Amino acid sequence: MPQDRTLRGAAAIVGIAEEASPTGELDTWGRALEARVIKAALDDAGLTLADVDGVAHTDSSLDLAEFLGIAPVFSEATYNGGSSFELYVEKAASAIAAGLAETVLIVYAATPRGDRRRGSGGWVDPPGPRDEFEVPYGLGLIGSYALAANRHMSTFGTTPEQLAAIAVNTRRWAAMNPRARLREPITVDDVLASAQVCTPLHLLDCCLVTDGAGAIVVTSAERARHLRKPPVHVLGAATAHSHRMIHAMPDLTVTPGAVSGPRAFAAAGIEHADVDLLMAYDSFTITALLHLEDLGFFKKGEAAAFVAAGGTAPGGALPMNTNGGGLCYTHPGMYGIFLLTEAVRQLRGEAGERQLTAPDVAVAHGTGEHLSATSTVVLGTEDTL
């Protein structure tokens, strides 16, 4: 495995912003919403649009740049589903290290809940082979994740109660986030009593559908030292994908995180014991469980007992998804940017009631599509350099 660490500490996240509401809806949408989070992220960093020479956007970086009135020298619009934003941090850090850009803006906004009320828009999967081989037979998004959950249960003896514990733990974090959509405490029994969406997944095993937006500013380590907030350094990053359609997944219990995780950790020069916070994409409870194992925190089949004992909850040995996650905080279609904003907020010490005690290393691990693609980013404070 290559262990080139040339990216370590070359770039840092210096500005963050996000929009989410306990109602699940925001008061604006489209470019106006993007503009709002972009301005907030640049203000957070103490920068302006004139400082931006790179943009990343899941739709069209060309359209975004034209809207902003800038002419970037670095542009990125690769679509890897919900893991796209971790990929963008990796690409931005690479471009900065190579001297191709100095300050890259990453932005995302979607309002599926508001769009539904307005009778407009709505999330549509990009066309692809699934339209021929899976969709006509009723195999949708939730069904794909249910397949993974069933296989994990069959292979390792994981129980619905153990999956439900992930939702319970995440809700405990959400209770400390005033912007979270779901904050009321729940029990394992509550999860199991919620409607069964696709066996074995219940409604409370599934992520939210909300409006949301976020923006991130990545710049060179040299520039970061002179800006408004303490820089959060990119220590390592890696990306992998293994399939597009769920029926082509080589092993339903192993995501590409088994590749991107170790590569990112090696690039950052860290061990699992160094990680103070794990922000792991939780589109479903099974998604979070697979990440705990594929990233190497636990052997296959051993993470379920850990979460059932409260290991990822407040006070647990491995705090996970401290903002309430996609299960309870917000999930506007692609959640990956919120993994990064919360990781940065915690490393800066700005998380309020849910703030961890002096964290130095955080891992943001995104996944996209049907457990198809993963990107892992290791972030650290100045003390980790």
Side-chain angles (χ1 to χ4, degrees):
M1 179 194 306
Q3 294 192 21
D4 186 353
R5 297 181 183 175
T6 56
L7 289 185
R8 194 181 198 281
I13 296 175
V14 293
I16 57 169
E18 63 196 85
E19 290 270 352
S21 168
T23 68
E25 286 194 38
L26 297 174
D27 60 359
T28 190
W29 58 91
R31 291 294 187 210
L33 180 55
E34 289 180 341
R36 197 156 77 186
V37 290
I38 287 169
K39 183 180 187 306
L42 289 170
D43 287 348
D44 186 56
L47 295 170
T48 70
L49 277 175
D51 298 303
V52 175
D53 60 359
V55 294
H57 192 276
T58 53
D59 185 9
S60 171
S61 52
L62 293 176
D63 288 345
L64 175 65
E66 185 173 68
F67 168 74
L68 296 174
I70 60 176
V73 296
F74 172 80
S75 182
E76 178 59 54
T78 302
Y79 178 80
N80 272 10
S83 65
S84 298
F85 311 98
E86 284 69 39
L87 171 66
Y88 295 164
V89 170
E90 179 186 3
K91 293 290 188 70
S94 300
I96 290 166
L100 301 179
E102 185 175 25
T103 302
V104 179
L105 174 67
I106 302 168
V107 63
Y108 172 68
T111 52
R113 195 176 185 91
D115 291 345
R116 183 188 301 166
R117 179 177 54 78
R118 288 185 291 269
S120 64
W123 176 259
V124 178
D125 271 335
R130 289 192 65 250
D131 297 322
E132 181 176 359
F133 295 107
E134 292 186 348
V135 175
Y137 305 98
L139 183 54
L141 177 68
I142 298 176
S144 298
Y145 284 80
L147 283 175
N150 277 309
R151 178 61 63 85
H152 203 280
M153 289 178 170
S154 173
T155 304
F156 302 110
T158 308
T159 67
E161 289 79 6
Q162 289 171 325
L163 286 180
I166 294 174
V168 173
N169 295 347
T170 307
R171 186 69 69 90
R172 291 181 60 192
W173 286 114
M176 294 183 278
N177 184 351
R179 292 196 291 182
R181 177 74 178 97
L182 300 176
R183 301 183 65 198
E184 292 298 317
I186 56 172
T187 66
V188 167
D189 288 341
D190 291 330
V191 179
L192 300 181
S194 64
Q196 191 147 58
V197 179
C198 188
T199 305
L201 300 177
H202 296 80
L203 182 63
L204 294 180
D205 284 301
C206 305
C207 68
L208 301 163
V209 177
T210 65
D211 299 349
I216 292 172
V217 182
V218 186
T219 194
S220 65
E222 174 58 31
R223 188 176 212 175
R225 295 188 184 98
H226 309 289
L227 297 180
R228 181 169 291 164
K229 295 290 184 69
V232 171
H233 296 276
V234 180
L235 303 181
T239 295
H241 48 91
S242 61
H243 62 283
R244 174 64 174 85
M245 298 175 285
I246 194 69
H247 80 260
M249 189 172 179
D251 183 335
L252 284 168
T253 68
V254 180
T255 73
V259 175
S260 68
R263 288 174 66 90
F265 278 47
I270 67 162
E271 304 293 337
H272 292 89
D274 298 321
V275 178
D276 300 305
L277 167 65
L278 175 61
M279 294 300 299
Y281 205 114
D282 57 342
S283 47
F284 301 89
T285 51
I286 183 60
T287 318
L289 186 70
L290 291 173
H291 294 333
L292 285 166
E293 296 174 343
D294 291 342
L295 290 174
F297 289 98
F298 298 93
K299 294 180 180 178
K300 277 295 170 185
E302 295 183 1
F306 176 76
V307 297
T312 58
L318 181 59
M320 183 172 75
N321 297 334
T322 53
N323 58 355
L327 292 172
C328 305
Y329 171 41
T330 191
H331 197 294
M334 290 186 285
Y335 174 70
I337 201 162
F338 301 98
L339 302 171
L340 292 158
T341 54
E342 176 68 6
V344 171
R345 185 168 287 109
Q346 286 282 356
L347 292 178
R348 286 180 177 177
E350 298 175 346
E353 184 183 355
R354 63 186 187 276
Q355 178 62 51
L356 303 177
T357 303
D360 280 321
V361 175
V363 172
H365 180 68
T367 188
E369 293 299 289
H370 303 257
L371 296 170
S372 309
T374 60
S375 288
T376 312
V377 176
V378 181
L379 300 172
T381 63
E382 197 82 8
D383 290 341
T384 61
L385 296 182

